Amino acid sequence: LAPLFVQKIFDIIHNINKQEGTTILLVEQNANLALQAAQRGYVLETGTVMMEDRAETLLANPEIRKAYLGE
């Protein structure tokens, strides 16, 4: 999607996420954006959950940053 549409979609996701009692399951290739919008994250490799934790913890994890966030 065009960057403008991606930003609009994530703005909508943020607004929905603020609503109490609403859960969102988001599957997204852009791990950085997805984890910034999430409360929890799951790392899948070939359909297997390899790691799961709070989104902030995953964003701070050096192994996740190197493997999935291009750093």
Side-chain angles (χ1 to χ4, degrees), residues 3-70:
L4 183 61
F5 288 120
V6 171
Q7 186 58 51
K8 183 148 182 86
I9 289 169
F10 273 91
D11 288 343
I12 292 167
I13 289 169
H14 282 287
N15 288 334
I16 293 170
N17 197 23
K18 289 179 186 176
Q19 298 174 13
E20 191 170 321
T22 302
T23 300
I24 300 169
L25 173 62
L26 174 66
V27 179
E28 173 57 51
Q29 289 181 336
N30 187 329
N32 195 28
L33 267 179
L35 287 171
Q36 289 178 33
Q39 294 172 352
R40 293 201 61 77
Y42 298 83
V43 178
L44 299 175
E45 286 185 18
T46 60
T48 302
V49 177
M50 301 304 289
M51 182 180 290
E52 60 100 1
D53 210 329
R54 292 174 30 148
E56 300 87 21
T57 303
L58 292 173
L59 276 170
N61 183 314
E63 293 175 23
I64 297 296
R65 295 193 72 73
K66 183 178 180 182
Y68 300 100
L69 303 177

